[in-house]
Amino acid sequence: MSNIETDQSSAALRAVAIMEAVARAADPLSLTEIMAATGLPKPTVHRTLALLEGSGILLREPQGKRYGPGPRLSALALDVVSGAAWRAPRHAILKSAVDEIGETCNLTMLDGTEVVYLDRVEAAWPLRLHLQSGSRVPAHCSASGKLLLALMPARARRRIVDALPMKEFTPGTISDRAAFEETLKRIRKDRYSTDNEEYLAGMICVAVPVENDQRSIPAALAVHAPATRLSLARALTHVPALRRAAARLVETFPEAGTTK
């Protein structure tokens, strides 16, 4: 291998090391923190950060001192966890949950101020809501979104909550930030979340975290149905079944089942 090829390979690996450090961190990292996490010298880190920021892979905070995942890195992460290698076993677990509960179940991840549907299995009912994989819904008025926000590290959660549009979709939408913060506190205690006709009138939802023993939470598992068929109180009785399915689903996420 030529010196040029070696240099290019080394530069690529350094960039990967920096992306890994930023992706693993609970909060955006400063240049000094990235240097400590990677062992790379300041000029190298500074130069690589400029390249990654310019390409949209990393994003610098408005104050200009900390770096977090950018849109391209977030999209890459979603592509990885949505990949074909995990799709079949994940879909089978969702189908098993639907067979047990009798209502539609979905698996979502948080992406900024929205939740993204990774997979979904419909129940065999004539009245249902059609949302395909890749669909997005606002985090502040969905059971999964509120759950994933509530269980995030405080600083990261505060950053996203501050950016939430808090648009009112139905009379049940929580659009007041103080009330929303209180709701998140309650969710952190209960470790489940509900959507009581907050996004769509007539639809209810209950979500639980997909988490490993270290409470690393890559996703949320939820059941939802028309309120005319499934009351919120009745939906809450399915939380144990959802937790059992979530315990199986966590193994379908890269590194989620291992100690970090």
Side-chain angles (χ1 to χ4, degrees):
M1 182 180 291
S2 69
N3 289 337
I4 293 177
E5 289 173 326
T6 302
D7 290 344
Q8 290 175 338
S9 175
S10 299
L13 291 174
R14 289 193 291 268
V16 169
I18 291 173
M19 287 189 289
E20 287 177 336
V22 171
R24 288 171 179 163
D27 298 310
L29 298 179
S30 67
L31 184 142
T32 302
E33 289 168 336
I34 294 172
M35 288 168 54
T38 61
L40 294 171
K42 184 175 181 178
T44 298
V45 173
H46 191 274
R47 182 172 60 251
T48 307
L49 284 174
L51 176 65
L52 295 174
E53 182 189 1
S55 60
I57 294 173
L58 297 185
L59 191 65
R60 185 161 40 166
E61 287 191 329
Q63 296 82 1
K65 295 184 178 181
R66 292 183 174 273
Y67 295 83
R72 288 184 66 182
L73 186 56
S74 296
L76 176 62
L78 287 171
D79 287 343
V80 170
V81 298
S82 302
W86 309 107
R87 193 173 299 129
R90 194 176 285 160
H91 197 77
I93 295 168
L94 277 179
K95 186 177 185 307
S96 177
V98 171
D99 290 343
E100 179 179 358
I101 294 171
E103 296 291 351
T104 297
C105 290
N106 58 67
L107 184 68
T108 61
M109 286 185 70
L110 189 66
D111 185 22
T113 60
E114 299 176 312
V115 288
V116 182
Y117 282 76
L118 298 182
D119 201 356
R120 177 183 179 86
V121 173
E122 296 277 0
W125 291 97
L127 180 59
R128 55 192 181 183
L129 176 66
H130 294 278
L131 285 169
Q132 298 178 337
S133 296
S135 297
R136 293 170 176 266
V137 299
H140 73 285
C141 54
S142 63
S144 295
K146 290 186 295 180
L147 178 73
L148 293 170
L149 283 171
L151 300 181
M152 290 179 72
R155 182 171 175 172
R157 177 177 63 252
R158 189 161 52 249
R159 188 175 67 253
I160 295 177
V161 169
D162 287 346
L164 289 171
M166 304 301 290
K167 178 180 176 180
E168 190 171 317
F169 289 88
T170 74
T173 303
I174 303 172
S175 56
D176 178 76
R177 291 190 186 276
F180 188 72
E181 290 283 5
E182 287 301 313
T183 298
L184 296 185
K185 286 181 184 178
R186 186 166 61 251
I187 293 169
R188 279 196 293 280
K189 178 177 177 293
D190 297 336
R191 300 194 81 77
Y192 69 79
S193 178
T194 63
D195 166 5
N196 190 12
E197 302 187 56
E198 296 168 41
Y199 177 51
L200 293 173
M203 296 296 294
I204 60 95
C205 182
V206 174
V208 302
V210 175
E211 59 185 340
N212 63 14
D213 293 339
Q214 292 75 44
R215 289 195 166 179
S216 171
I217 303 162
L221 170 65
V223 59
H224 80 252
T228 53
R229 189 170 69 229
L230 183 70
S231 68
L232 185 59
R234 176 64 180 165
L236 287 170
T237 68
H238 295 308
V239 166
L242 289 171
R243 293 200 194 280
R244 288 193 297 272
R248 296 173 61 199
L249 281 165
V250 74
E251 301 300 329
T252 70
F253 286 83
E255 297 186 8
T258 62
T259 302
K260 294 183 179 181

